[in-house]
Every structure is written in structure tokens, then in C-alpha cells.
């Protein structure tokens, strides 16, 4: 009885594992966004799609789409910012929502039984003619599909601002470095009045007896090797679907007035800025 559900459960479980693996290298917040935008449409299709010939191929396409996030958000500076992830991933619910809506209303095939009927051993005897169509299946699938389309089409405007830079662009720091929030050249953490420029500032202190130059070099090496910053670049363009955008992420390392002989300190400001003329 459960055989028709095996591929549905397996594909949904594999999709969740891939979504978590893709997002975990970025940040926990982005992982949640990936699950909501990319995996939920796959899960909805696996659970609610009718039993049609295209059910498994469409499920595999939605599964493959989760894997493309490795290229759309490859882990470069800027990808760990929640607003950037939203603006990129809000396209992902559309294919699943459209497929589920079309299959629910235009399919003449036998719809799948709900999972609770399979687990509970409730199935229609083979000798009884006609398909089993739970009364709630079509309205439930329609509501879920509509929700996915709204998520993909309408909520993109909520991510119009650049958003605060993610602390995951800097942390975790190597051993011997400590960070505290502070007030930098642009003031304390915040955004300008237009929402097109946001920043956050940290004071980084080093080991006892370490010079400021050594501390700065250690921090830059950490940014290059662990956080994806290449060369001496201080700003990186934020991309979306393989294209550079007008938004850039900058990281500025400066000396700090709190520098002392025993524990050197430097200031680090992360900033996200939209450089488009409309900004």
C-alpha cells in the first residue's frame, strides 16, 4: 500500500537534506529561507500532487532546483545576508506552485491518497472501481499552490532594501581575537533614511603583546581564507542568478582609538550599499 509513496517520501527527504547542506555553509537564517522557498514547494508537490505520469519527473526537477542554489548563492561575500537571500530565492516557489496548481485542476488521473490513510492501512479495495479523491485534497492543494505563488510573486517587494550586513561575513573569528559591538565612523549599527545603505561596526582586540599590524594581517587572512574575500579587495558586488547587481558589500578595517600596548584593537565596519541611481 505504501509503495506509491516511497519515491515521494524519499525525494522530499533528500531535498530537505540538500537544502540544509546548501544553506548551512551560509548562515542559519539563510538556511531557513532556503527551506521555505526551495524545499517547501518540493514537499508540497510530493504530498499533494495527483498520481500522474509527470509526478516523479516534476519532483526530480524541483529537487534539482535546490541544488542550483550552490551556484546562485555560492558562499561569496554578500550571500550570507538575509535580504540578499530573499531577493534571490523568492523565485524558487514559482515552478512548484504553478505545477501543483495545474496538476490539481487539469489532471484527470488518480490522485494520491493522503499519507495518513497509507500509514493507517486505509485503502480502497482493488475490486472497487473509481479513484479515491479525498474531499479536502483539491482545496488544500489549491491553497498551498496559491500560497507558493504569492510567496514568489508578491513578497519580493519586502526585500527592496539592502538590509543589514550579516555577521556571518566576519564570524567565527580565529583564536586570539575577540569582538565587541562599537560605534564606527558612520555611527552605531543602523541604516540611512532611504534604506539603501546599512552598516554594522565591531571592535576587534588581539592577543596580549601583539602589534596592530599583525592583528590586521591575521584578520585579513581570516577574511580571505575562511570568508571568501580575495586579494586586497575591500568591496564585493552582490550578485543574483549569476549577475552582478548595483548592491555591494564592503568591509573596512581601520585603527581603533582603544588600541593599547597590551591588547591591540582595530575597527571593522561591514556595510551594504545600493549604488543604483535610484538610491
Amino acid at each position: 500500500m505504501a509503495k506509491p509513496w516511497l519515491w515521494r517520501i524519499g525525494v522530499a527527504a533528500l531535498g530537505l537534506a540538500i537544502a540544509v547542506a546548501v544553506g548551512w555553509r551560509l548562515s542559519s537564517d539563510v538556511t531557513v529561507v532556503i527551506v521555505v522557498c526551495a524545499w517547501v514547494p518540493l514537499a508540497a508537490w510530493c504530498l499533494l500532487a495527483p498520481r500522474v505520469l509527470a509526478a516523479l519527473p516534476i519532483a526530480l526537477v524541483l529537487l534539482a532546483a535546490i541544488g542550483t542554489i550552490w551556484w546562485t548563492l555560492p558562499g561569496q561575500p554578500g550571500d550570507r545576508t538575509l535580504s540578499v537571500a530573499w531577493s534571490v530565492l523568492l523565485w524558487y516557489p514559482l515552478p512548484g506552485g504553478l505545477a501543483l496548481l495545474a496538476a490539481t485542476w487539469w489532471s484527470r488521473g488518480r490522485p494520491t491518497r493522503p499519507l495518513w490513510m497509507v500509514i493507517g492501512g486505509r485503502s480502497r479495495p482493488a475490486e472497487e472501481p473509481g479513484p479515491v479523491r479525498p474531499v479536502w485534497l483539491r482545496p488544500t492543494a489549491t491553497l498551498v499552490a496559491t500560497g507558493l505563488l504569492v510567496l514568489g510573486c508578491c513578497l519580493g517587494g519586502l526585500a527592496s532594501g539592502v538590509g543589514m550586513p550579516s555577521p556571518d561575513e566576519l564570524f567565527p573569528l580565529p583564536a586570539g581575537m575577540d569582538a565587541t559591538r562599537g560605534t564606527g565612523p558612520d555611527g552605531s549599527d543602523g541604516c540611512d533614511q532611504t534604506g539603501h545603505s546599512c552598516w554594522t561596526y565591531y571592535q576587534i582586540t588581539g592577543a596580549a603583546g601583539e602589534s596592530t599590524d599583525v592583528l590586521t594581517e591575521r584578520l585579513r587572512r581570516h577574511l580571505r581564507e575562511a570568508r571568501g574575500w580575495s586579494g586586497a579587495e575591500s568591496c564585493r558586488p552582490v550578485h543574483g542568478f549569476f549577475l552582478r547587481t548595483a548592491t555591494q558589500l564592503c568591509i573596512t578595517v581601520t585603527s581603533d582609538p582603544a588600541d593599547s600596548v597590551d591588547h591591540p584593537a582595530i575597527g571593522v565596519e561591514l556595510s551594504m550599499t545600493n549604488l543604483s541611481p535610484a538610491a
Side-chain angles (χ1 to χ4, degrees):
M1 289 181 295
K3 286 184 178 179
W5 273 92
L6 290 179
W7 71 263
R8 296 173 182 266
I9 297 174
V11 170
L14 180 60
L16 181 59
I18 295 175
V20 173
V22 169
W24 203 252
R25 79 191 196 285
L26 299 172
S27 69
S28 57
D29 292 340
V30 174
T31 301
V32 174
V33 176
I34 291 175
V35 170
V36 171
C37 292
W39 179 76
V40 168
L42 170 63
W45 175 261
C46 290
L47 293 176
L48 300 174
R51 190 177 301 171
V52 294
L53 292 177
L56 179 57
I58 291 177
L60 294 178
V61 169
L62 296 177
L63 176 64
I66 300 177
T68 65
I69 301 174
W70 284 104
W71 292 273
T72 56
L73 292 174
Q76 295 179 354
D79 293 338
R80 288 172 279 266
T81 301
L82 193 59
S83 61
V84 172
W86 267 118
S87 63
V88 173
L89 295 173
L90 279 174
W91 293 96
Y92 279 77
L94 295 178
L98 290 171
L100 183 58
L101 193 63
T104 299
W105 285 96
W106 282 284
S107 171
R108 297 181 179 274
R110 180 186 179 121
T112 51
R113 296 183 180 89
L115 184 59
W116 62 268
M117 292 180 66
V118 177
I119 295 176
R122 302 179 183 181
S123 62
R124 191 183 187 92
E127 62 272 11
E128 292 187 21
V132 177
R133 182 182 293 275
V135 175
W136 53 264
L137 181 60
R138 176 171 287 184
T140 301
T142 301
L143 287 175
V144 172
T146 303
L148 294 174
L149 294 177
V150 170
L151 178 65
C153 295
C154 302
L155 295 188
L158 297 180
S160 57
V162 295
M164 293 293 294
S166 172
D168 294 278
E169 301 291 355
L170 179 63
F171 298 104
L173 291 172
M177 293 186 190
D178 296 305
T180 56
R181 287 286 180 88
T183 301
D186 295 320
S188 57
D189 297 1
C191 301
D192 62 10
Q193 294 181 348
T194 65
H196 290 285
S197 180
C198 300
W199 59 87
T200 183
Y201 183 85
Y202 297 93
Q203 182 190 80
I204 310 295
T205 56
E210 186 177 40
S211 69
T212 302
D213 291 340
V214 171
L215 175 61
T216 302
E217 177 57 30
R218 284 209 300 138
L219 179 63
R220 292 192 181 279
R221 184 167 60 249
H222 161 70
L223 293 173
R224 180 175 62 253
E225 297 176 355
R227 300 289 86 187
W229 289 86
S230 59
E233 294 180 83
S234 59
C235 294
R236 291 288 295 273
V238 177
H239 66 278
F241 287 109
F242 314 104
L243 299 175
R244 293 189 175 189
T245 66
T247 300
Q248 69 175 11
L249 169 71
C250 296
I251 186 164
T252 306
V253 181
T254 61
S255 60
D256 193 279
D259 182 21
S260 64
V261 176
D262 294 334
H263 290 275
I266 56 178
V268 177
E269 183 179 80
L270 297 170
S271 61
M272 291 280 290
T273 305
N274 189 327
L275 303 177
S276 63

